[in-house]
Amino acid sequence: DIVMTQSPDFLAVSLGERATINCKSSQSVLYTSTNKNYLAWYQQKPGQPPKLLISWASIRESGVPDRFSGSGSGAIFTLTISSLQAEDVALYYCQQYYSNPFTFGPGTKVDI
Amino acid sequence: DVQLVESGGGLVKPGGSLRLSCATSGFTFSTYTMHWVRQAPGRGLEWVSSISSSSSYIYYTDSVKGRFTISRDSAKNVFYLQMNTLRVEDTAVYLCARGPDGYNPIDNWGQGTLVTVSS
């Protein structure tokens, strides 16, 4: 199974400042024949199900504010919130869908 | 609108069984892979199982293999998770979710149903 790790566990950022979350996979999730990274980022607010923010490591879902961006390739990835807003307080998870089981990272809590 | 609504959770003793259901609407059920993901109290997300649109591809996380069975009924737009020989560590909110067939991210989620395994 591919093991996903995230850092930090907890991140406190001032309003308007940048938040950066790191995600590493125990093996590459880059499928060379498609040149795609099979990596997603989800946001989960208290009492709500997760919401898909970014797929294929860097493709923002429709309706996701452009302050959210994803980057990275292979086994190292980053989610960046360029200017933190109050509504961005949440847990953030990365997930690989390169191979079954589709494992999640342990999550990063972002707070003000 | 896409809707996924779980039911069937509850309190069960260790060794007992439960069947979770996920009723879906607002999309063509027969073309999507369906997933179960769980979240233990205060913990992170754990992918549990998935079933492809044709039921040809079924996967489980190791900790539930041989105990849980996923299935789907395309006539009713519902899919299920039969959970047998439940353990205390299976206690969690179970969320149903969908994703396009193949190796694709989960793009819609239900609200979840709580399963509590306790004596």
Side-chain angles (χ1 to χ4, degrees):
Chain A
D1 296 359
I2 296 177
V3 177
M4 307 298 291
T5 57
Q6 289 181 233
S7 62
D9 297 333
F10 176 78
L11 185 59
V13 177
S14 300
L15 288 172
E17 294 301 305
R18 177 183 299 262
T20 302
I21 302 168
N22 302 300
C23 172
K24 290 184 181 180
S25 54
S26 59
Q27 66 185 73
S28 174
V29 298
L30 172 63
Y31 192 36
T32 51
S33 65
T34 61
N35 198 33
K36 287 184 173 182
N37 289 282
Y38 286 57
L39 189 284
W41 288 98
Y42 299 88
Q43 176 193 62
Q44 187 179 30
K45 296 181 179 180
Q48 295 184 21
K51 173 187 174 184
L52 177 63
L53 292 179
I54 288 172
S55 57
W56 311 107
S58 62
I59 307 300
R60 234 179 354 261
E61 293 298 297
S62 175
V64 173
D66 61 6
R67 63 181 180 272
F68 291 92
S69 63
S71 62
S73 184
I76 301 177
F77 301 92
T78 301
L79 175 69
T80 302
I81 310 171
S82 60
S83 176
L84 192 78
Q85 304 301 304
E87 60 266 32
D88 301 334
V89 169
L91 275 161
Y92 292 85
Y93 296 92
C94 60
Q95 184 204 27
Q96 65 80 21
Y97 46 97
Y98 179 89
S99 68
N100 282 285
F102 287 0
T103 41
F104 290 91
T108 294
K109 184 172 184 180
V110 174
D111 208 339
I112 305 293
Chain B
D1 279 7
V2 173
Q3 290 205 357
L4 302 157
V5 180
E6 303 90 342
S7 60
L11 175 63
V12 63
K13 289 182 168 49
S17 298
L18 275 179
R19 188 174 86 151
L20 305 183
S21 300
C22 179
T24 74
S25 61
F27 65 100
T28 306
F29 179 74
S30 60
T31 64
Y32 280 84
T33 287
M34 305 306 297
H35 303 262
W36 288 101
V37 175
R38 66 186 179 184
Q39 189 165 32
R43 305 291 296 274
L45 301 169
E46 180 185 21
W47 178 90
V48 174
S49 180
S50 68
I51 183 168
S52 65
S53 61
S54 63
S55 302
S56 298
Y57 300 97
I58 289 175
Y59 302 98
Y60 300 97
T61 193
D62 282 349
S63 62
V64 309
K65 281 179 184 173
R67 300 190 299 124
F68 290 11
T69 303
I70 192 171
S71 61
R72 64 191 293 158
D73 184 338
S74 289
K76 297 180 179 178
N77 292 345
V78 179
F79 74 111
Y80 307 96
L81 188 67
Q82 176 68 44
M83 304 186 296
N84 299 330
T85 320
L86 282 160
R87 304 168 180 167
V88 171
E89 56 266 33
D90 294 319
T91 295
V93 172
Y94 284 73
L95 302 108
C96 66
R98 73 156 205 189
D101 256 357
Y103 293 89
N104 285 288
I106 292 172
D107 63 9
N108 272 275
W109 302 71
Q111 292 289 330
T113 186
L114 177 61
V115 172
T116 303
V117 185
S118 174
S119 54

